[in-house]
Amino acid sequence: MAAKKASPDLLNSSFSFKSLKLKTKQQELLLRVSILGLVYVLAFIARLFSVLRYESMIHEFDPYFNYRTTLFLTEKGFYEFWNWFDSESWYPLGRIIGGTLYPGLMVTAALIYWTLRFLRFFVHIREVCVLTAPFFASNTTLVAYFFGKEIWDTGAGLVAAALIAICPGYISRSVAGSYDNEAVAIFALLLTFYLFVKAVKTGSLSWALGSAFGYFYMVSAWGGYVFIINLVPLYVLVLLITGRYSMRLYVAYNCMYILGMLLAMQIRFVGFQHVQSGEHMAAMGVFLLMQVFYFLDWVKHQLNDTKLFQTFLRITVTSAILVGGIALGVGTASGYISPWTGRFYSLLDPTYAKDHIPIIASVSEHQPTAWSSFMFDYHILLFLFPAGLYFCFKRLSDATIFIVMYGLTSLYFAGVMVRLILVATPAVCLISAIAVSATVKNLTSLLRTKQKVPQTGSTKGVGSSKSSSKVTLDQSQPFHKNGAIALLVGVFYLLSRYAIHCTWVTSEAYSSPSIVLAARGAHGNRIIFDDYREAYYWLRQNTPTDAKVMSWWDYGYQITAMGNRTVIVDNNTWNNTHIATVGRAMSSYEDEAYDIMRSLDVNYVLVVFGGVTGYSSDDINKFLWMVRIGGGVYPVIKEPDYLVNGEFRVDKGASPKMLNCLMYKLCYYRFGELVTEYGKPTGYDRARGVEIGNKDIKLEHLEEAYTTSNWIVRVYRVKPPTNML
Amino acid sequence: MTMAINKKLLSLLLLVSSLSSIASASFSDPDSDSDLTNELASLRSNSESGVIHLDDHGISKFLISSPTPRPYSILLFFDATQLHSKTELRLQELRREFGLVSATFLANNNGSDLNKLFFCEIEFSRSQSSFQRFGVNALPHIRLVTGSTAKLSDESGQMDQSDFARLAESMAEFVEQRTKLTVGPIQRPPFLSKAQISVIVAMIVIATPFVIKRILRGETLLHDHRLWLSGAIFIYFFSVAGTMHNIIRKMPMFLQDRNDPNKLVFFYQGSGMQLGAEGFAVGFLYTVVGLLLAFVTNVLVRVRNLNVQRLVMLVALVVSSWAVKQVVYLDNWKTGYGIHPYWPSSWQ
């Protein structure tokens, strides 16, 4: 946005400040830098609601694993971390941590920690972990600024930075405490794209090199790098088809692909997948196609005869496609190229996961997106997006083609899975920013022309805007002024609504740690349920150090990180059979479950129960997924056994199998004696709003060890087998 | 609906089923066995994909009056034409899959095994009393009547919900488990027939040189901005309208109000769920506002006629503000959130 030009009278009147007065360009720079600085700070502080409201702590489930590994990294050093075999999870299998994680996040946090220590700031590693996500969100706004500047102009860059700083779609995964891979990955993703677009624009090796390193950082941080390695080739392909092939593109793509591939293969979790798995084949195919294009260009240069060239072209293109097809076919058939993974396939054919992979379909963030979620996470950006698309098409360049493709593909994926809204957020912000910036620029330049016309009689001021400047008819000016003011007011009203929406959503919806629960009491006061940590610290203090705890996989990471005890399964769902075994134990009768638990050396069983507090995401509500996942491997577990006429019930009408399975018994043990709500019978389940069906529960092989103050977590001890003598 | 009728006739059912079991136990004759088998086989050869259409008469002939143990089993699909409109029951889809299993069974078996299992269907409106006899009061329902099944109301042969969850494949597994016969891998008809494929391939081959020529000249549809733009807008609309949600969850366009069947429910309250028409309506509102903005700032300014300009501008402003208001209102209603600004606490 251009700064105001100082008028001559003003200069004269404030003569004493003349020496301090900045030139227009300097003024603009100052404005821009200060706006960016403010946005940078804003992005950080908007994410601190959770720290202010609760305390500085790690949120949710996966972040606890990341925290635990980061702690290990800072204590034991990088090589120990890299070769770490973790025997505390997936008992008795264990897990090779170094080879099965993306280390980018942990290494980043450790580097920040070591830097701070070096500068003599003695912070705790937990604080670093908690604040990593907001810090990287701030950095993302900077990248968004440069990206916006690259594809449109500085105005669009500034607007994009401001929009992305508070966009709920991004905040949802980057509030203080959500120490997860996405926290740094979105920064890396946008950086890679920015550098690649820059490389295509300039054709310079150094930008391409930069984008290769950006890609490396992304690969080290998140599995979502697959999106980059498919979007970039797709983009190159579109440029090739639409006849935008250039030497710049050749340099940028080849350098980025080859270097990026070599670097990515250094990450153990990726390794040779990068050249062998089906998801990465598109990139390789486009790479080969690039060489064909280059070769053709060279031959065309050598041959001056067009007819000869046409024939040559036909032969080359046909044979290239043939060879490529045969190579792919042979590779797939011989097993050298692995087929697509289920997760990837479920993006292209969204109904796939539901039918074939219950463990993916069961996760709430893998659900398809309804329109209200889009509205919640994007608000007015959704209205601005089509306008932005229109502007991009009006001014097509290599850069705008990229942002349009990025926006559309990611928006499609966001429709398939709720969590992918995150990936689409930067693109939506950038495209909407183009709409806002271009509109505001057009309108303000119109307004300013009017003011100047009577004074100077020149129309120089409109030079910047392209389309609107064509109308400089005198009689249309009164309309333009009114209309422009009305439109401007409308736009600023919308933007202010956006700010209000984002603040509210951040504060109310996205800042709860989910490990500490909050509810409103009868008098509007805030009640805190800290049962999870209570239970985990109990485990840590009161159980033998080699005790094995069985729980549903959601709580695995938290138990190992906070309770410091060995678990059977955790959130890294790499072994479906093992999870199904736990699911089977939970859905069997107690004596059958006891055999399974004995075979897994289980000492304690932990269940999460919301019947007293009305907490709805407890194990009873997750129970059908345990049955489904268990039944997927062990056909003795059948879902209809737990349903009555296709309905899941826990009251008197529940199926007998349901009323006597281990999960039911552990959740509702002694619950029949309890009055939870005034005016209701004993054993009234507040999460499901029914009186339970089995109030007289006797446990034979297990005994209650600990129940937290609000009954949310219940821990049971598995009794040793009775003495044979 | 079926349930209501069934309850009325429950007493009749008990009577009939007890009578039928007495009747079936009374005589047994090997000659009539093979006659029945042959008749079934000939019926099968006349029917599409080998699914025999039975009615009350057929049921009593092949299942009730025939003595146990019968030399054949019958897998029976219960259909009701009047319920085809209820898409959530998936009757037509299941019936198609049932036909596939039958066709596969026919293709993979010959000789003696072929006549051990017959695939049949009965339709509710024409065979109500048979539905009563089987005690079927909810659809979809598939029942295996083995040779030794004496009482038709015996529900042990019922195929569970989970057995047709994976359609034909899981139905086949069920049949193989229960009858010890092999069905074999399901042979689905290819998406395109061979003739169609060859025509398409021929067309592609013929078109290729022309396409290459035009690509080289740079004048294909691919070079048309407007096409790309409308494609882009379409993808945008497709995504934000939650169409993927509708496809994956198989959501209907609208629901019938439970209290008042004449009233249709177009909007579902509760976030994370939506109905088909709801998504399209909101997606349309999103798109309209965005396109109007682009139109006003890019196209309208070129219009020379002042009055037209004013009018269109006014309309655009009114429509956009109405659409935004509507979406925000709907969102607040649907999610139940009351979004409000935070004022400094000293102001209150």
Side-chain angles (χ1 to χ4, degrees), chain A residues 376-400:
Chain A
F376 198 63
D377 280 352
Y378 291 143
H379 201 239
I380 62 153
L381 302 185
L382 280 179
F383 297 114
L384 297 171
F385 191 82
L389 277 184
Y390 183 80
F391 283 108
C392 286
F393 274 98
K394 275 294 209 197
R395 205 168 105 183
L396 270 189
S397 65
D398 289 353
T400 48

mmCIF file of all heavy atoms in Angstrom, chain A residues 376-400:
data_model
loop_
_atom_site.group_PDB
_atom_site.id
_atom_site.type_symbol
_atom_site.label_atom_id
_atom_site.label_comp_id
_atom_site.label_asym_id
_atom_site.label_seq_id
_atom_site.Cartn_x
_atom_site.Cartn_y
_atom_site.Cartn_z
ATOM 1 N N PHE A 376 -16.148 -21.986 9.944
ATOM 2 C CA PHE A 376 -15.533 -21.786 11.246
ATOM 3 C C PHE A 376 -14.054 -21.454 11.100
ATOM 4 O O PHE A 376 -13.536 -20.597 11.796
ATOM 5 C CB PHE A 376 -15.710 -23.079 12.049
ATOM 6 C CG PHE A 376 -15.524 -22.919 13.521
ATOM 7 C CD1 PHE A 376 -16.375 -22.112 14.247
ATOM 8 C CD2 PHE A 376 -14.510 -23.583 14.176
ATOM 9 C CE1 PHE A 376 -16.214 -21.971 15.607
ATOM 10 C CE2 PHE A 376 -14.345 -23.445 15.535
ATOM 11 C CZ PHE A 376 -15.203 -22.628 16.251
ATOM 12 N N ASP A 377 -13.384 -22.114 10.184
ATOM 13 C CA ASP A 377 -11.937 -21.962 10.073
ATOM 14 C C ASP A 377 -11.512 -20.865 9.106
ATOM 15 O O ASP A 377 -10.371 -20.415 9.158
ATOM 16 C CB ASP A 377 -11.301 -23.289 9.651
ATOM 17 C CG ASP A 377 -11.150 -24.219 10.828
ATOM 18 O OD1 ASP A 377 -11.391 -23.770 11.952
ATOM 19 O OD2 ASP A 377 -10.801 -25.389 10.637
ATOM 20 N N TYR A 378 -12.363 -20.470 8.188
ATOM 21 C CA TYR A 378 -11.937 -19.462 7.206
ATOM 22 C C TYR A 378 -12.740 -18.166 7.290
ATOM 23 O O TYR A 378 -12.248 -17.128 6.897
ATOM 24 C CB TYR A 378 -12.045 -20.012 5.791
ATOM 25 C CG TYR A 378 -11.055 -21.078 5.485
ATOM 26 C CD1 TYR A 378 -11.389 -22.164 4.682
ATOM 27 C CD2 TYR A 378 -9.763 -21.006 5.977
ATOM 28 C CE1 TYR A 378 -10.470 -23.145 4.400
ATOM 29 C CE2 TYR A 378 -8.853 -21.986 5.706
ATOM 30 C CZ TYR A 378 -9.200 -23.057 4.915
ATOM 31 O OH TYR A 378 -8.294 -24.027 4.638
ATOM 32 N N HIS A 379 -13.986 -18.275 7.713
ATOM 33 C CA HIS A 379 -14.849 -17.108 7.788
ATOM 34 C C HIS A 379 -14.873 -16.368 6.457
ATOM 35 O O HIS A 379 -15.127 -16.988 5.431
ATOM 36 C CB HIS A 379 -14.406 -16.237 8.965
ATOM 37 C CG HIS A 379 -15.494 -15.313 9.426
ATOM 38 N ND1 HIS A 379 -15.344 -13.972 9.429
ATOM 39 C CD2 HIS A 379 -16.730 -15.557 9.874
ATOM 40 C CE1 HIS A 379 -16.461 -13.403 9.870
ATOM 41 N NE2 HIS A 379 -17.320 -14.358 10.144
ATOM 42 N N ILE A 380 -14.553 -15.051 6.436
ATOM 43 C CA ILE A 380 -14.773 -14.304 5.196
ATOM 44 C C ILE A 380 -13.790 -14.686 4.088
ATOM 45 O O ILE A 380 -14.000 -14.336 2.936
ATOM 46 C CB ILE A 380 -14.684 -12.789 5.422
ATOM 47 C CG1 ILE A 380 -13.286 -12.422 5.895
ATOM 48 C CG2 ILE A 380 -15.728 -12.308 6.368
ATOM 49 C CD1 ILE A 380 -12.936 -11.019 5.523
ATOM 50 N N LEU A 381 -12.732 -15.387 4.436
ATOM 51 C CA LEU A 381 -11.781 -15.765 3.391
ATOM 52 C C LEU A 381 -12.486 -16.574 2.313
ATOM 53 O O LEU A 381 -12.114 -16.533 1.147
ATOM 54 C CB LEU A 381 -10.635 -16.571 3.986
ATOM 55 C CG LEU A 381 -9.839 -15.884 5.084
ATOM 56 C CD1 LEU A 381 -8.666 -16.741 5.484
ATOM 57 C CD2 LEU A 381 -9.337 -14.543 4.599
ATOM 58 N N LEU A 382 -13.526 -17.291 2.737
ATOM 59 C CA LEU A 382 -14.261 -18.100 1.763
ATOM 60 C C LEU A 382 -14.943 -17.226 0.725
ATOM 61 O O LEU A 382 -15.037 -17.594 -0.441
ATOM 62 C CB LEU A 382 -15.315 -18.929 2.491
ATOM 63 C CG LEU A 382 -14.809 -20.176 3.149
ATOM 64 C CD1 LEU A 382 -15.946 -20.868 3.841
ATOM 65 C CD2 LEU A 382 -14.214 -21.100 2.130
ATOM 66 N N PHE A 383 -15.465 -16.068 1.175
ATOM 67 C CA PHE A 383 -16.116 -15.173 0.220
ATOM 68 C C PHE A 383 -15.087 -14.549 -0.711
ATOM 69 O O PHE A 383 -15.357 -14.312 -1.886
ATOM 70 C CB PHE A 383 -16.852 -14.049 0.956
ATOM 71 C CG PHE A 383 -17.962 -14.521 1.827
ATOM 72 C CD1 PHE A 383 -17.904 -14.389 3.195
ATOM 73 C CD2 PHE A 383 -19.086 -15.109 1.260
ATOM 74 C CE1 PHE A 383 -18.932 -14.833 3.993
ATOM 75 C CE2 PHE A 383 -20.121 -15.550 2.056
ATOM 76 C CZ PHE A 383 -20.039 -15.414 3.426
ATOM 77 N N LEU A 384 -13.917 -14.274 -0.150
ATOM 78 C CA LEU A 384 -12.916 -13.568 -0.940
ATOM 79 C C LEU A 384 -12.197 -14.493 -1.917
ATOM 80 O O LEU A 384 -11.650 -14.044 -2.908
ATOM 81 C CB LEU A 384 -11.896 -12.917 0.001
ATOM 82 C CG LEU A 384 -12.493 -11.857 0.920
ATOM 83 C CD1 LEU A 384 -11.494 -11.434 1.957
ATOM 84 C CD2 LEU A 384 -12.938 -10.653 0.107
ATOM 85 N N PHE A 385 -12.205 -15.772 -1.603
ATOM 86 C CA PHE A 385 -11.434 -16.715 -2.413
ATOM 87 C C PHE A 385 -11.802 -16.698 -3.899
ATOM 88 O O PHE A 385 -10.914 -16.577 -4.742
ATOM 89 C CB PHE A 385 -11.588 -18.115 -1.817
ATOM 90 C CG PHE A 385 -10.657 -19.134 -2.397
ATOM 91 C CD1 PHE A 385 -9.354 -19.244 -1.948
ATOM 92 C CD2 PHE A 385 -11.083 -19.984 -3.406
ATOM 93 C CE1 PHE A 385 -8.492 -20.178 -2.482
ATOM 94 C CE2 PHE A 385 -10.226 -20.921 -3.939
ATOM 95 C CZ PHE A 385 -8.928 -21.022 -3.481
ATOM 96 N N PRO A 386 -13.095 -16.790 -4.274
ATOM 97 C CA PRO A 386 -13.410 -16.766 -5.710
ATOM 98 C C PRO A 386 -12.965 -15.463 -6.370
ATOM 99 O O PRO A 386 -12.471 -15.479 -7.503
ATOM 100 C CB PRO A 386 -14.935 -16.887 -5.761
ATOM 101 C CG PRO A 386 -15.341 -17.339 -4.439
ATOM 102 C CD PRO A 386 -14.306 -16.924 -3.466
ATOM 103 N N ALA A 387 -13.126 -14.343 -5.641
ATOM 104 C CA ALA A 387 -12.668 -13.075 -6.201
ATOM 105 C C ALA A 387 -11.164 -13.125 -6.438
ATOM 106 O O ALA A 387 -10.675 -12.700 -7.493
ATOM 107 C CB ALA A 387 -13.021 -11.940 -5.249
ATOM 108 N N GLY A 388 -10.442 -13.679 -5.469
ATOM 109 C CA GLY A 388 -8.995 -13.804 -5.624
ATOM 110 C C GLY A 388 -8.628 -14.664 -6.815
ATOM 111 O O GLY A 388 -7.714 -14.346 -7.586
ATOM 112 N N LEU A 389 -9.367 -15.755 -6.988
ATOM 113 C CA LEU A 389 -9.131 -16.619 -8.155
ATOM 114 C C LEU A 389 -9.286 -15.816 -9.438
ATOM 115 O O LEU A 389 -8.475 -15.904 -10.358
ATOM 116 C CB LEU A 389 -10.152 -17.755 -8.172
ATOM 117 C CG LEU A 389 -9.886 -18.979 -7.320
ATOM 118 C CD1 LEU A 389 -10.973 -19.997 -7.563
ATOM 119 C CD2 LEU A 389 -8.554 -19.582 -7.666
ATOM 120 N N TYR A 390 -10.349 -15.014 -9.455
ATOM 121 C CA TYR A 390 -10.623 -14.220 -10.644
ATOM 122 C C TYR A 390 -9.459 -13.269 -10.929
ATOM 123 O O TYR A 390 -8.984 -13.180 -12.061
ATOM 124 C CB TYR A 390 -11.923 -13.444 -10.435
ATOM 125 C CG TYR A 390 -12.341 -12.643 -11.629
ATOM 126 C CD1 TYR A 390 -12.984 -13.259 -12.702
ATOM 127 C CD2 TYR A 390 -12.083 -11.293 -11.691
ATOM 128 C CE1 TYR A 390 -13.350 -12.532 -13.805
ATOM 129 C CE2 TYR A 390 -12.459 -10.560 -12.798
ATOM 130 C CZ TYR A 390 -13.088 -11.175 -13.850
ATOM 131 O OH TYR A 390 -13.451 -10.462 -14.944
ATOM 132 N N PHE A 391 -8.982 -12.608 -9.877
ATOM 133 C CA PHE A 391 -7.857 -11.684 -10.058
ATOM 134 C C PHE A 391 -6.628 -12.423 -10.575
ATOM 135 O O PHE A 391 -5.920 -11.929 -11.445
ATOM 136 C CB PHE A 391 -7.525 -10.987 -8.743
ATOM 137 C CG PHE A 391 -8.470 -9.879 -8.398
ATOM 138 C CD1 PHE A 391 -9.383 -10.019 -7.383
ATOM 139 C CD2 PHE A 391 -8.447 -8.688 -9.102
ATOM 140 C CE1 PHE A 391 -10.265 -9.008 -7.073
ATOM 141 C CE2 PHE A 391 -9.323 -7.664 -8.794
ATOM 142 C CZ PHE A 391 -10.247 -7.830 -7.769
ATOM 143 N N CYS A 392 -6.388 -13.620 -10.023
ATOM 144 C CA CYS A 392 -5.222 -14.392 -10.463
ATOM 145 C C CYS A 392 -5.328 -14.717 -11.935
ATOM 146 O O CYS A 392 -4.348 -14.638 -12.681
ATOM 147 C CB CYS A 392 -5.111 -15.685 -9.666
ATOM 148 S SG CYS A 392 -4.539 -15.439 -8.000
ATOM 149 N N PHE A 393 -6.523 -15.094 -12.368
ATOM 150 C CA PHE A 393 -6.672 -15.445 -13.788
ATOM 151 C C PHE A 393 -6.540 -14.217 -14.669
ATOM 152 O O PHE A 393 -6.150 -14.322 -15.823
ATOM 153 C CB PHE A 393 -8.007 -16.142 -14.015
ATOM 154 C CG PHE A 393 -7.922 -17.610 -13.776
ATOM 155 C CD1 PHE A 393 -8.315 -18.150 -12.570
ATOM 156 C CD2 PHE A 393 -7.427 -18.461 -14.753
ATOM 157 C CE1 PHE A 393 -8.217 -19.503 -12.347
ATOM 158 C CE2 PHE A 393 -7.327 -19.812 -14.529
ATOM 159 C CZ PHE A 393 -7.724 -20.330 -13.319
ATOM 160 N N LYS A 394 -6.911 -13.068 -14.120
ATOM 161 C CA LYS A 394 -6.768 -11.829 -14.874
ATOM 162 C C LYS A 394 -5.308 -11.534 -15.164
ATOM 163 O O LYS A 394 -4.970 -10.895 -16.140
ATOM 164 C CB LYS A 394 -7.351 -10.669 -14.053
ATOM 165 C CG LYS A 394 -8.831 -10.508 -14.232
ATOM 166 C CD LYS A 394 -9.064 -10.094 -15.626
ATOM 167 C CE LYS A 394 -10.253 -9.264 -15.861
ATOM 168 N NZ LYS A 394 -10.611 -9.234 -17.264
ATOM 169 N N ARG A 395 -4.448 -11.927 -14.263
ATOM 170 C CA ARG A 395 -3.039 -11.578 -14.393
ATOM 171 C C ARG A 395 -2.224 -12.857 -14.281
ATOM 172 O O ARG A 395 -1.497 -13.065 -13.324
ATOM 173 C CB ARG A 395 -2.675 -10.603 -13.276
ATOM 174 C CG ARG A 395 -1.490 -9.718 -13.604
ATOM 175 C CD ARG A 395 -1.399 -8.625 -12.575
ATOM 176 N NE ARG A 395 -0.313 -8.858 -11.645
ATOM 177 C CZ ARG A 395 -0.062 -8.056 -10.611
ATOM 178 N NH1 ARG A 395 -0.814 -7.012 -10.386
ATOM 179 N NH2 ARG A 395 0.938 -8.304 -9.805
ATOM 180 N N LEU A 396 -2.376 -13.721 -15.245
ATOM 181 C CA LEU A 396 -1.722 -15.026 -15.163
ATOM 182 C C LEU A 396 -0.214 -14.888 -15.303
ATOM 183 O O LEU A 396 0.281 -14.229 -16.206
ATOM 184 C CB LEU A 396 -2.242 -15.941 -16.256
ATOM 185 C CG LEU A 396 -3.453 -16.798 -15.914
ATOM 186 C CD1 LEU A 396 -3.690 -17.797 -17.025
ATOM 187 C CD2 LEU A 396 -3.255 -17.523 -14.604
ATOM 188 N N SER A 397 0.489 -15.519 -14.381
ATOM 189 C CA SER A 397 1.940 -15.635 -14.519
ATOM 190 C C SER A 397 2.301 -16.983 -13.925
ATOM 191 O O SER A 397 1.447 -17.669 -13.378
ATOM 192 C CB SER A 397 2.631 -14.515 -13.751
ATOM 193 O OG SER A 397 2.387 -14.676 -12.374
ATOM 194 N N ASP A 398 3.564 -17.354 -14.010
ATOM 195 C CA ASP A 398 3.968 -18.637 -13.435
ATOM 196 C C ASP A 398 3.615 -18.691 -11.951
ATOM 197 O O ASP A 398 3.180 -19.720 -11.436
ATOM 198 C CB ASP A 398 5.471 -18.828 -13.614
ATOM 199 C CG ASP A 398 5.812 -19.078 -15.071
ATOM 200 O OD1 ASP A 398 4.865 -19.231 -15.870
ATOM 201 O OD2 ASP A 398 7.002 -19.101 -15.400
ATOM 202 N N ALA A 399 3.783 -17.555 -11.275
ATOM 203 C CA ALA A 399 3.546 -17.540 -9.832
ATOM 204 C C ALA A 399 2.070 -17.668 -9.505
ATOM 205 O O ALA A 399 1.684 -18.438 -8.622
ATOM 206 C CB ALA A 399 4.103 -16.254 -9.229
ATOM 207 N N THR A 400 1.209 -16.919 -10.236
ATOM 208 C CA THR A 400 -0.214 -17.014 -9.897
ATOM 209 C C THR A 400 -0.764 -18.387 -10.266
ATOM 210 O O THR A 400 -1.638 -18.898 -9.574
ATOM 211 C CB THR A 400 -1.041 -15.920 -10.599
ATOM 212 O OG1 THR A 400 -0.691 -15.886 -11.956
ATOM 213 C CG2 THR A 400 -0.806 -14.583 -9.972
#
